[in-house]
Amino acid sequence: MGYTGKPSTACLSCRQKRRKCDHAMPGCSQCLRQKIQCPGYETDWDLRFRDETIFLATGTSKRKANQAAKRSTPSPPNFPSRAINIPTADTALSYFMVSYIDSTVYGSYLPQLYTEAVLQKPGQDAFVTTIRAASMAALAKRHQSRETLGMALKEFSTALAQTNASLADPSTATLNATLGAVLTMGLFESIVSTGKENIGNWTAHTLGTIALLRLRGLEQLSDLLGRRMCIHAAYNIRVSCINRAVEVPKDLIKLEEDFYKAFNFPRAVRDHYSIMNRTCSIKADLKNGLTPELICRALETEHDADLFIQGFSPPTSTAQEGSRSTSPPTPRQPLTNSVMLHNATGAPLLAMMARWLFGMSMLRLVLNEIVWSGAPMYDGHPEILQRMYQVSGGLHGKTVSEHFQSHLAAYAVGKISQISRQVLAFAPRFLNEEDLVPHFTKMARCIVLPLAFIQSSPCCPPDIYQEAKDLLMRFESDIELSQGQFAATVLYTSRLAGEWLPLHHMI
């Protein structure tokens, strides 16, 4: 017997089935509806002291069984609630290789070089450390982290010492990894730059590759990675020369001539470099003052760059020669150039086409800005007008059209508008159309520097200027581009001073 507390006054049937009993006499309505005999109601005394021994024993047995089961079941481990702490260096390396340099020229050789280096090949510590420095700098730029940037600078200091040691050792100086370290140092300076303060260091690393290319000799062309780095190094050297307004070093040109004889370099690469060489020469001579002869050279070089974009091999004639070939390109020429350049640089086809177009477009912008700047002094100059007429499709020796009289600036502005619209028209190719709301992919970064050139041009039409700025701001959100805001605010005078450096590695 046991006291069970305040009892229920329902009939036994309703109590067992937990139904609401109405206590009707002689039997409740629930039992009546169920068509069963109502067992009736117990007295108050019976209810208070009913025999619950069986029920109490059953409850006790269940509690003991549950407690035993809990003791036999192992407790789950007490995991910390915070996220797993992945080392910054690993996070940075993953971001750098997968997102930052993918679809750039660096992406065509750095990942493979790094894979070879981590296999513990001797003499490649400098390259690994340089990659680590550049990757942490890229991550710091993305998150605006001073702490990560400090780690990157510390790694770079170590990498610099290791690279100098590799260059001093004849057994490691000619390795692909050593050249890769030097090129990555230039990339590091470009990443951490906030303007022109790093241009000197970048130039030093870039020009240092000339001696290294000479030291490596023809053997560097024996493998694909060597050829890709050689092409990239030569391009960077020319960009530096254009920025500093100096001639391309003659020893580099001589070295490339030896390369051309020993290896069938793509004609597109050679012609591209030829136009860059001529632009460097014009910029160098410009330091002595703008002359009609310089404007004529700028007009011709820009025209040849335009033909190159269309798939032409630019003519080799000089400014003193007469007419230019204006016959339309054959349908196979652009495709041939594209395939050859693709095979040489290892870039994705779309990215390769974009860099080809954008690189030449920026040269054309620079050359037309030179023409534009000569308008106040030489508008109506007969030699300039004659050259303008020739590159515009006229016949040599024909009387100059009055259309060009006093329109030197208008000619340059028209050309700049045409070039800018070609660049802007290429931008939609970088959209990911599969998304519900199309957004730009990371490959669109290669258009950032050309857009910075366009929006900073002093003779850019207002509508094009605004479209370029809007695109740059959209890139900042679509592809998490921290340099988008910077590119949208670069000024013409700043560009001439080299403040394009933070954007150089994107193309």
Side-chain angles (χ1 to χ4, degrees):
M1 286 289 180
Y3 179 73
T4 58
K6 185 178 179 179
S8 170
T9 58
C11 71
L12 182 60
S13 176
C14 288
R15 281 210 315 270
Q16 290 176 344
K17 297 181 180 179
R18 297 183 178 276
R19 295 183 307 209
K20 187 175 182 180
C21 185
D22 60 1
H23 308 96
M25 296 297 289
C28 72
S29 301
Q30 293 282 10
C31 292
L32 182 62
R33 280 197 295 270
Q34 296 293 328
K35 297 181 180 181
I36 61 175
Q37 181 68 36
C38 183
Y41 312 98
E42 295 181 337
T43 64
D44 184 69
W45 184 263
D46 291 333
L47 288 171
R48 289 183 182 275
F49 290 93
R50 63 189 182 274
D51 188 356
E52 295 285 352
T53 304
I54 296 177
F55 298 103
L56 290 173
T58 303
T60 302
S61 300
K62 288 182 178 179
R63 285 195 298 272
K64 289 182 178 180
N66 290 337
Q67 291 173 358
K70 289 180 180 179
R71 285 194 298 269
S72 62
T73 303
S75 300
N78 186 22
F79 290 116
S81 58
R82 61 184 177 84
I84 297 175
N85 182 24
I86 301 175
T88 302
D90 294 342
T91 304
L93 182 62
S94 176
Y95 168 68
F96 181 74
M97 291 294 185
V98 176
S99 298
Y100 201 80
I101 63 170
D102 186 43
S103 301
T104 69
V105 177
Y106 291 99
S108 68
Y109 59 85
L110 286 185
Q112 184 175 341
L113 272 181
Y114 185 80
T115 301
E116 294 177 357
V118 296
L119 294 177
Q120 299 180 351
K121 289 189 176 182
Q124 300 191 6
D125 291 343
F127 175 70
V128 173
T129 309
T130 309
I131 287 290
R132 198 157 51 236
S135 61
M136 285 194 285
L139 189 66
K141 194 85 169 183
R142 178 184 180 185
H143 296 302
Q144 300 297 308
S145 171
R146 290 182 177 272
E147 180 183 1
T148 307
L149 181 59
M151 296 169 61
L153 292 171
K154 185 177 180 180
E155 288 285 349
F156 184 75
S157 178
T158 304
L160 190 59
Q162 291 177 340
T163 302
N164 287 334
S166 296
L167 290 170
D169 186 347
S171 65
T172 57
T174 57
L175 293 176
N176 280 342
T178 303
L179 178 57
V182 175
L183 290 171
T184 308
M185 283 183 173
L187 172 60
F188 177 89
E189 295 290 353
S190 180
I191 293 172
V192 301
S193 175
T194 56
K196 62 182 179 181
E197 68 276 5
N198 293 82
I199 191 70
N201 294 337
W202 179 82
T203 301
H205 295 310
T206 301
L207 295 182
T209 59
I210 298 178
L212 191 53
L213 291 177
R214 189 189 307 112
L215 180 65
R216 286 162 56 87
L218 296 178
E219 292 184 1
Q220 65 188 304
L221 304 179
S222 60
D223 65 280
L224 186 60
L225 283 182
R227 291 195 293 272
R228 289 176 180 174
M229 286 191 291
C230 179
I231 291 173
H232 190 201
Y235 177 82
N236 282 349
I237 291 168
R238 286 174 168 83
V239 171
S240 171
C241 292
I242 292 174
N243 177 68
R244 293 179 296 118
V246 297
E247 298 266 6
V248 177
K250 295 187 183 303
D251 52 350
L252 175 63
I253 296 177
K254 176 63 171 63
L255 184 65
E256 288 175 341
E257 289 175 354
D258 295 338
F259 289 167
Y260 298 157
K261 294 176 183 177
F263 178 78
N264 185 25
F265 256 63
R267 181 59 186 267
V269 175
R270 299 166 63 176
D271 291 343
H272 191 173
Y273 287 171
S274 174
I275 292 174
M276 293 184 78
N277 293 348
R278 292 162 62 185
T279 305
C280 290
S281 178
I282 292 170
K283 290 270 289 183
D285 292 342
L286 189 60
K287 291 191 292 187
N288 298 322
L290 185 61
T291 64
E293 187 266 341
L294 272 181
I295 295 177
C296 289
R297 285 166 58 190
L299 287 168
E300 283 216 353
T301 305
E302 190 276 331
H303 177 61
D304 288 346
D306 187 15
L307 296 182
F308 177 87
I309 289 176
Q310 298 174 36
F312 269 72
S313 297
T316 56
S317 54
T318 62
Q320 283 72 26
E321 293 176 354
S323 61
R324 290 286 177 183
S325 172
T326 56
S327 58
T330 62
R332 297 182 61 85
Q333 281 178 317
L335 178 61
T336 302
N337 281 347
S338 298
V339 172
M340 292 177 69
L341 195 59
H342 172 63
N343 291 338
T345 62
L349 188 58
L350 178 60
M352 178 277 301
M353 291 174 61
R355 284 198 291 270
W356 182 17
L357 170 65
F358 298 155
M360 277 297 174
S361 296
M362 287 186 289
L363 287 179
R364 295 179 66 198
L365 285 171
V366 169
L367 292 166
N368 277 295
E369 286 168 356
I370 293 174
V371 174
W372 174 82
S373 65
M377 295 178 288
Y378 300 112
D379 212 4
H381 191 283
E383 183 182 353
I384 296 175
L385 294 176
Q386 184 71 37
R387 191 63 64 193
M388 286 172 59
Y389 188 68
Q390 291 172 9
V391 299
S392 299
L395 298 176
H396 178 59
K398 192 173 181 179
T399 304
V400 177
S401 170
E402 291 293 326
H403 175 71
F404 291 116
Q405 295 288 351
S406 304
H407 283 79
L408 186 58
Y411 173 88
V413 171
K415 279 285 190 176
I416 288 174
S417 298
Q418 177 194 30
I419 297 164
S420 302
R421 294 190 190 282
Q422 287 176 348
V423 173
L424 292 170
F426 204 92
R429 300 193 185 193
F430 300 117
L431 282 171
N432 186 352
E433 300 288 354
E434 296 180 358
D435 293 341
L436 185 61
V437 178
H439 71 280
F440 284 99
T441 64
K442 58 190 176 184
M443 198 180 295
R445 286 175 298 188
C446 66
I447 199 176
V448 171
L449 184 56
L451 290 177
F453 268 61
I454 290 171
Q455 70 85 25
S456 63
S457 178
C459 36
C460 179
D463 59 327
I464 295 177
Y465 165 83
Q466 191 59 51
E467 187 175 351
K469 288 183 75 73
D470 291 345
L471 263 179
L472 287 170
M473 299 313 297
R474 182 173 175 183
F475 290 160
E476 190 168 14
S477 59
D478 275 15
I479 56 179
E480 298 180 352
L481 183 68
S482 59
Q483 293 92 339
Q485 178 70 33
F486 175 85
T489 56
V490 171
L491 302 176
Y492 178 63
T493 53
S494 302
R495 167 155 61 89
L496 294 180
E499 292 190 16
W500 48 265
L501 181 59
L503 311 173
H504 166 66
H505 61 280
M506 295 184 181
I507 192 168

